[in-house]
Amino acid sequence: KAVVSTQSTGTLKESIPIERVKMTIRVSIGQGDAKKCRDQIKALFSSISSEDNDSQFEIVGTAEPGNYKPLAEMVGKHSRGKGMCEVIGVEKSSDMDVFKS
């Protein structure tokens, strides 16, 4: 078992910035179902790249990884399993090049 002291953990966080990579998520839900939760769905996105309100409410944007589960649960609950919430990509980070050798 590895033991990490809180003192060394604090030093590590100061020396290596730890950030979560944002996910690109697409949500698609029927217009009738979207009326109930449209604003709540939008609030969980950091930025919105496209929004379509034709036959279905569809939104694509970036969100923190921790927001995926609440989005998926909300879509499932309000659409009675007919909506869709999917990860279509992740943001590329230049910081990840540091770890390549």
Side-chain angles (χ1 to χ4, degrees):
K1 293 182 180 180
V3 177
V4 179
S5 72
T6 55
Q7 184 178 21
S8 65
T9 305
T11 306
L12 182 62
K13 286 182 181 178
E14 291 171 8
S15 11
I16 302 173
I18 300 172
E19 291 184 29
R20 298 181 93 179
V21 176
K22 291 186 181 176
M23 301 167 29
T24 304
I25 299 174
R26 176 186 301 136
V27 171
S28 181
I29 188 171
Q31 284 291 355
D33 300 325
K35 288 179 183 178
K36 304 172 208 165
C37 60
R38 180 184 319 241
D39 293 333
Q40 295 168 335
I41 289 173
K42 286 182 175 183
L44 291 172
F45 282 92
S46 305
S47 65
I48 297 171
S49 55
S50 72
E51 187 176 339
D52 183 14
N53 288 307
D54 291 338
S55 61
Q56 287 205 42
F57 172 68
E58 183 177 289
I59 188 168
V60 177
T62 57
E64 295 290 329
N67 287 345
Y68 176 76
K69 186 175 179 180
L71 272 169
E73 288 174 349
M74 189 180 314
V75 169
K77 176 183 171 187
H78 289 287
S79 69
R80 297 170 302 282
K82 295 180 182 177
M84 180 178 62
C85 181
E86 64 180 329
V87 177
I88 58 174
V90 294
E91 266 187 4
K92 292 185 179 180
S93 173
S94 60
D95 296 337
M96 293 305 288
D97 296 334
V98 173
F99 300 106
K100 293 181 181 176
S101 52

